[in-house]
Amino acid sequence: MTDALLETRLTLPLLHRGKVRDTYDLGEALLMVATDRVSAFDVVLPTGVPGRGIILSEISAFWFRRSDYEFPNHFIGMAHELEVANTYGLGGLDEPVARRGMVVKKAERIDIECVVRGYLTGSALAEYRGTGRVQGYEMPADMTDSQAFSKPLFTPTTKEESGHDIPLTVEELWKRVGGNIAWPLEEHSLALYRTASEYAQTMGLILADTKFEFGMIDGKLCVIDELLTPDSSRYWDASIYAAGRPQPSFDKQIIRDWLTESGWDREPPAPELPDDVVERTIARYRDVYRMLTSQEIAV
């Protein structure tokens, strides 16, 4: 297993350091490096998960390549690929950075998180139990935990720089950005979810929900940021799925559960994670990569 890469300090101009990604300016493009940082409950943890950034970047790359014939995106290539490295002057990058780095086109980001839900879980379940609705949608009265919706729901939110994103109804989205943006966001999000969900099902996975981000490149709506990773999506093992109870997911839920059980008050600083929690978490990420791609990944 590699050492955890918690921060990058390249000689390139740093544009943004987020909870997970460090983004650098390459002139005509961007270098997005998915570090091994982990956030939970809106706090970046002091402990990283070694290799997590590699898997996040490789899963995004897999989906960008697989879907670009139908859904244009900003992906150019991985920083460790020779042609990409030579084109953008990245030959001198250290291997840990290059393996975690995606080179992408610059885009005018639309500040909306485009969430699509196929199953009643997470915050949607909590809202349903309280109101019988899910973000403006009326739901049947007898739905259970993890039950599939009759059709996927588009449940957008704002994209806040700090704090929690704010849920929006479709009507509120139209008022916020206008129909010329809101309608394509909804249509592209639902279509991309259906395409990804159908493929995942053939690989033994259920894509319970996910979130997409979009931006404009040369006047065209494009998928940007990450795509269908365990950080942005909830994957379940189809072989053990059963509605009526919570499902184990291929993400950092192991970490969230441990933090909750530790008694942490969700205020910084967060506690260090024990080794077994870190190891079980990266194992889940490796599992979902293998199931999606039919390949093993060395981290």
Side-chain angles (χ1 to χ4, degrees):
M1 182 181 289
T2 59
D3 293 331
L5 179 69
L6 296 182
E7 187 175 281
T8 60
R9 293 189 177 276
L10 308 183
T11 57
L12 298 166
L14 177 66
L15 292 182
H16 181 69
R17 196 183 302 280
K19 292 177 181 176
V20 174
R21 287 168 180 78
D22 295 345
T23 302
Y24 294 87
D25 193 348
L26 298 177
E28 296 182 357
L30 300 174
L31 173 65
M32 294 176 56
V33 183
T35 70
D36 297 333
R37 294 194 295 269
V38 183
S39 67
F41 308 115
D42 292 320
V43 176
V44 176
L45 308 183
T47 311
V49 175
R52 198 177 83 97
I54 295 173
I55 297 176
L56 290 176
S57 290
E58 290 291 352
I59 288 179
S60 279
F62 168 80
W63 281 112
F64 280 132
R65 289 179 171 128
R66 183 175 181 83
S67 63
D68 65 354
Y69 71 96
E70 189 175 2
F71 305 98
N73 61 62
H74 71 163
F75 182 72
I76 295 172
M78 296 297 294
H80 62 77
E81 295 169 346
L82 184 60
E83 183 177 351
V84 174
N86 289 342
T87 300
Y88 293 95
L90 300 174
L93 285 181
D94 291 339
E95 182 184 10
V97 175
R99 289 194 68 195
R100 292 165 170 83
M102 292 193 307
V103 177
V104 301
K105 300 171 188 175
K106 290 183 174 179
E108 183 181 350
R109 189 180 76 179
I110 299 170
D111 289 331
I112 296 294
E113 296 272 10
C114 294
V115 181
V116 181
R117 303 178 186 275
Y119 293 76
L120 184 62
T121 187
S123 61
L125 176 62
E127 181 182 357
Y128 172 78
R129 284 175 168 170
T131 67
R133 298 164 62 90
V134 175
Q135 216 159 310
Y137 296 95
E138 291 286 350
M139 293 288 109
D142 57 350
M143 292 194 71
T144 63
D145 189 342
S146 304
Q147 182 177 340
F149 296 119
S150 58
K151 61 180 181 179
L153 305 183
F154 178 61
T155 57
T157 73
T158 63
K159 184 173 177 60
E160 304 296 325
E161 286 299 325
S162 60
H164 295 288
D165 298 332
I166 301 170
L168 301 169
T169 65
V170 173
E171 291 75 16
E172 289 168 339
L173 177 65
W174 277 64
K175 291 178 182 178
R176 179 179 284 258
V177 301
N180 289 339
I181 296 294
W183 183 79
L185 288 180
E186 180 175 1
E187 291 297 301
H188 277 66
S189 298
L190 289 170
L192 183 49
Y193 173 81
R194 290 189 188 100
T195 296
S197 180
E198 289 170 4
Y199 170 78
Q201 193 80 42
T202 68
M203 307 303 285
L205 289 166
I206 291 172
L207 179 60
D209 52 43
T210 191
K211 62 181 179 181
F212 305 116
E213 291 192 41
F214 293 90
M216 303 301 294
I217 301 176
D218 297 330
K220 181 182 294 186
L221 188 68
C222 294
V223 186
I224 65 169
D225 198 57
E226 62 184 316
L227 181 59
L228 294 159
T229 72
D231 273 15
S232 64
S233 313
R234 200 185 317 256
Y235 290 101
W236 296 335
D237 187 337
S239 69
I240 60 172
Y241 165 76
R245 59 171 174 78
Q247 314 297 313
S249 54
F250 294 90
D251 58 16
K252 55 188 176 184
Q253 189 61 47
I254 293 169
I255 291 174
R256 287 191 289 262
D257 290 346
W258 183 85
L259 288 169
T260 299
E261 293 165 4
S262 75
W264 177 49
D265 62 4
R266 303 190 182 185
E267 294 294 329
E272 295 276 356
L273 299 176
D275 290 345
D276 71 298
V277 170
V278 171
E279 291 166 3
R280 286 190 290 126
T281 299
I282 197 59
R284 297 294 281 170
Y285 279 72
R286 281 198 299 264
D287 286 344
V288 75
Y289 178 86
R290 174 181 47 79
M291 293 180 73
L292 282 172
T293 69
S294 298
Q295 298 178 2
E296 299 290 345
I297 188 167
V299 295

